[in-house]
Amino acid sequence: MNRPASFSRAFRTLAGLGLLTAVCSAQQPEAFPVKIRVDASKPAGPLKPIWRYFGADEPNYAYMKDGKKLLGELGEMAPKQVYFRAHNMLTTGDGTPALKWGSTNAYTEDAAGNPVYDWTITDKIFDAYLERGVRPYVQLGFMPQALSTKPEPYRHHWTPEAKYDTIYLGWTYPPKDYAKWEELCYQWAKHCLEKYGKAEVDTWWWQLWNEPNIGYWRGTQDEFYKLYDHSVAGVRRALPNARIGGPETAGGPGGGTLEKFLKHCQEGSNTVTGQKGTPLDLISFHAKGQPKFVNGHVQMGIANQLRDINGAFSVIAKFPEYKSTPIVIGESDPEGCAACQGPQNGYRNGTMYSSYTAASFARKHELAARHGVNLEGALTWAFEFEDQPYFAGFRVLASNGIDHPVLNVFRMFSKMTGENLPVASDSAIPLDDIMKNGVRGKADVSALASMDKHRLAVMVWHYHDDDVSGPDAAVNLTLPGLPVKAAEAKLSHYRIDETHSNAYTLWKALGSPQQPTKEQYASLEEAGKLAKIEGPATVKIAGGEATLDFKLPRQAVSLLVLEWQ
């Protein structure tokens, strides 16, 4: 990869500060050996691209400068296969964004109480997605002020210093008229059909609300079922093939909320039709980790997130009619609030977020296989916050147009296609142990692998819950069963660590500028891209087997791609 002169000068600055050599310093503990084996002769079914779902509280950022830039980067990874979910798509307001707030003014009423529909802002949002290869995961919510049973107070002015619960105002309440809500859903779906066409809109997902088992819904669960029945009726009236579902519960199974919702859809009385059951094409829930700040460092809580997923999958698997229904973990993150700040969230800017993402996504695949359910996607609730300070500590994929290291994990995932290959690592922490204890003793060093025709990809991570220094992993990667007659294959080795695919390290080395020069900005942009490490460009193959040896620093992620004729 050719780097601009400014980028090279910037990394010479890093070297001068000792940051480039820190990871390979003689004072570092001796690397510990890790053996990983990936058998290319035993494909285990398709590796589903569950990574290609993203979302945010603030819908209006999508059509702003840095929002459009980031959407473009997401769309480039898998054009027309990436989906975006946003809150506040029906919230009343003039479209001015703020933390945990957005609005579209899609629905108001005239003096006589007649509906007035205005799709100007919702169109701007969806246009921004579609023009960049991203498709809507449409959230029906929140309640327009003119429909709310408690319209005042309506708009919050939350800041990271405020209590979270202060956001739950008039937009969280049931409608005063369910027929008007249903008509709103119908009119929006009908408008989308007319504007974007049936072939396009039939590829979208539709879902109702957000986390109805906590403060986001101030009605009863029966009222939520009623809202769902009317929502399905409205959308399906315009789009008979619409894929619609829910319930986007907080905390995985949500203390019984998910199971009760599935029972309603399966056998409950439909409020609209009077018949048994309501269509359900998508099952969604949320799963979050629980980081803490202990003894002067961040300690991640990966166990909490995986237990949420395990619990929800267990519930879904109890319903035979839903075991093949697509599941999207509608928010799947290391913790619960992208706009919140604090020392426990200090993992976000650097490589800890990257290694956590790699290790957790692999376990999502494993849990879905264990329960025999159809995991379609795991949605990362992180985007960007327009016009905030650089690397301000929010859970984002980019900061002022500068990509964070975690975004490069998704770029790695996008290079993994085809069949899922079995992986055996002598340093992998077993799934049940992680769900019980996290990764608090030995580090978790393992891999996810895929093969597609003449191409094999192996993602290897070195993860630990504790953000403290530790020895490198000396990885010995063996690849038997390669369908290759040639004596060698092309090798590309991508890396995320302190000095690769990492604009944050460079930004700190440049003095943490909040107003970087044009040259500094160009260097930061380049540093944020997925980078290769120096090394051999080919790997030898003998008897259908290849072996690779490399060191992997703590909290680093590698992607090794072999290609042959």
Side-chain angles (χ1 to χ4, degrees):
M1 181 183 294
N2 294 324
R3 303 287 195 181
S6 60
F7 180 83
S8 299
R9 284 195 295 273
F11 267 81
R12 284 199 295 271
T13 301
L14 282 176
L17 292 173
L19 293 173
L20 280 174
T21 58
V23 294
C24 55
S25 168
Q27 297 179 0
Q28 289 291 307
E30 183 178 353
F32 62 94
V34 175
K35 290 187 178 297
I36 299 176
R37 180 182 175 88
V38 177
D39 194 337
S41 69
K42 298 179 180 179
L47 180 65
K48 290 186 177 181
I50 64 171
W51 58 269
R52 58 196 168 87
Y53 288 79
F54 302 91
D57 291 71
E58 305 85 3
N60 308 95
Y61 289 147
Y63 53 79
M64 297 180 178
K65 177 174 66 71
D66 292 330
K68 290 190 291 186
K69 180 179 181 180
L70 181 53
L71 281 174
E73 292 179 313
L74 297 179
E76 285 172 1
M77 297 181 203
K80 296 186 178 182
Q81 298 179 55
V82 174
Y83 287 85
F84 200 93
R85 173 179 183 250
H87 292 340
N88 294 299
M89 290 297 298
L90 297 175
T91 304
T92 302
D94 63 3
T96 301
L99 296 180
K100 300 193 71 63
W101 179 260
S103 58
T104 65
N105 231 39
Y107 181 94
T108 55
E109 294 182 355
D110 64 18
N114 299 309
V116 177
Y117 304 106
D118 184 347
W119 311 118
T120 303
I121 297 178
T122 59
D123 285 353
K124 285 179 69 175
I125 294 166
F126 286 175
D127 288 349
Y129 297 171
L130 294 165
E131 289 167 4
R132 291 161 181 82
V134 175
R135 283 180 158 147
Y137 181 112
V138 185
Q139 183 181 137
L140 300 167
F142 294 116
M143 194 58 61
Q145 189 170 17
L147 277 180
S148 175
T149 53
K150 189 179 179 182
E152 294 291 350
Y154 187 79
R155 191 207 190 287
H156 69 74
H157 297 274
W158 182 87
T159 69
E161 292 76 33
K163 290 184 178 180
Y164 192 93
D165 285 359
T166 60
I167 70 171
Y168 300 134
L169 299 177
W171 51 270
T172 66
Y173 283 81
K176 63 185 182 183
D177 186 325
Y178 283 85
K180 284 186 174 181
W181 170 265
E182 180 181 323
E183 187 68 16
L184 169 59
C185 295
Y186 165 72
Q187 291 291 342
W188 192 19
K190 177 174 173 285
H191 171 77
C192 290
L193 173 64
E194 292 169 348
K195 179 174 173 59
Y196 301 108
K198 181 178 185 299
E200 172 59 40
V201 177
D202 277 352
T203 67
W204 300 1
W205 296 103
W206 299 75
Q207 58 85 197
L208 173 65
W209 220 255
N210 182 67
E211 300 183 338
N213 56 321
I214 62 172
Y216 281 93
W217 177 245
R218 291 302 176 110
T220 66
Q221 287 303 299
D222 284 341
E223 287 173 322
F224 184 76
Y225 303 153
K226 184 177 181 179
L227 192 73
Y228 181 74
D229 295 346
H230 281 276
S231 301
V232 172
V235 172
R236 283 281 184 89
R237 183 154 42 107
L239 301 168
N241 298 325
R243 302 182 296 176
I244 186 167
E248 304 283 349
T249 48
T257 303
L258 176 61
E259 184 167 2
K260 292 174 183 176
F261 176 80
L262 296 180
K263 285 182 178 178
H264 169 75
C265 293
Q266 175 196 44
E267 61 187 20
S269 177
N270 187 302
T271 311
V272 178
T273 67
Q275 303 298 310
K276 177 182 175 181
T278 306
L280 182 68
D281 311 297
L282 165 72
I283 299 172
S284 53
F285 63 88
H286 298 173
K288 305 286 187 174
Q290 196 170 40
K292 300 176 182 178
F293 193 74
V294 296
N295 300 323
H297 71 271
V298 176
Q299 183 181 74
M300 302 298 281
I302 194 172
N304 196 75
Q305 184 179 5
L306 297 179
R307 286 195 296 264
D308 278 354
I309 296 169
N310 185 59
F313 285 172
S314 297
V315 168
I316 296 165
K318 292 195 295 186
F319 292 79
E321 58 271 69
Y322 294 141
K323 285 195 74 172
S324 62
T325 301
I327 299 167
V328 174
I329 309 172
E331 295 181 23
S332 190
D333 304 290
E335 32 69 35
C337 176
C340 297
Q341 296 170 311
Q344 76 279 7
N345 294 324
Y347 73 91
R348 292 168 166 178
N349 290 334
T351 59
M352 194 161 199
Y353 193 2
S354 312
S355 59
Y356 180 104
T357 300
S360 62
F361 266 76
R363 272 52 187 237
K364 296 168 195 177
H365 285 287
E366 192 175 347
L367 282 167
R370 173 181 289 190
H371 290 282
V373 296
N374 180 14
L375 180 58
E376 159 68 22
L379 191 149
T380 296
W381 198 255
F383 188 51
E384 66 96 24
F385 293 96
E386 205 82 14
D387 298 323
Q388 293 289 335
Y390 283 79
F391 298 100
F394 298 119
R395 190 176 70 238
V396 292
L397 303 176
S399 175
N400 288 289
I402 303 300
D403 297 341
H404 281 218
V406 69
L407 185 57
N408 287 306
V409 178
F410 297 103
R411 290 188 171 115
M412 288 181 171
F413 282 138
S414 74
K415 296 179 181 293
M416 303 183 73
T417 57
E419 296 289 306
N420 191 2
L421 298 179
V423 172
S425 170
D426 64 3
S427 290
I429 307 299
L431 176 59
D432 288 322
D433 288 355
I434 295 181
M435 286 196 291
K436 182 179 180 181
N437 302 311
V439 183
R440 304 288 170 85
K442 291 172 55 180
D444 177 52
V445 186
S446 194
L448 182 70
S450 67
M451 188 169 68
D452 192 354
K453 297 179 182 178
H454 304 291
R455 191 171 182 274
L456 182 146
V458 185
M459 177 187 285
V460 186
W461 60 84
H462 180 174
Y463 172 73
H464 197 284
D465 275 349
D466 289 288
D467 189 17
V468 296
S469 62
D472 293 352
V475 178
N476 172 255
L477 175 61
T478 305
L479 306 169
L482 293 169
V484 184
K485 295 180 180 179
E488 65 179 22
K490 177 185 175 183
L491 173 64
S492 299
H493 188 162
Y494 301 91
R495 168 66 62 80
I496 305 168
D497 61 21
E498 286 298 308
T499 57
H500 298 88
S501 314
N502 192 333
Y504 181 55
T505 301
L506 176 57
W507 179 75
K508 290 188 294 182
L510 293 172
S512 305
Q514 286 300 332
Q515 294 181 321
T517 66
K518 185 177 180 180
E519 184 181 57
Q520 287 175 330
Y521 191 89
S523 297
L524 290 166
E525 273 190 309
E526 193 67 24
K529 296 178 181 178
L530 181 60
K532 297 178 183 178
I533 64 171
E534 293 184 5
T538 60
V539 59
K540 293 181 179 180
I541 300 173
E545 183 169 311
T547 301
L548 295 137
D549 292 285
F550 58 95
K551 287 187 176 180
L552 189 66
R554 189 169 171 123
Q555 312 299 10
V557 183
S558 273
L559 179 71
L560 300 103
V561 179
L562 277 66
E563 297 173 283
W564 57 87
Q565 297 296 322

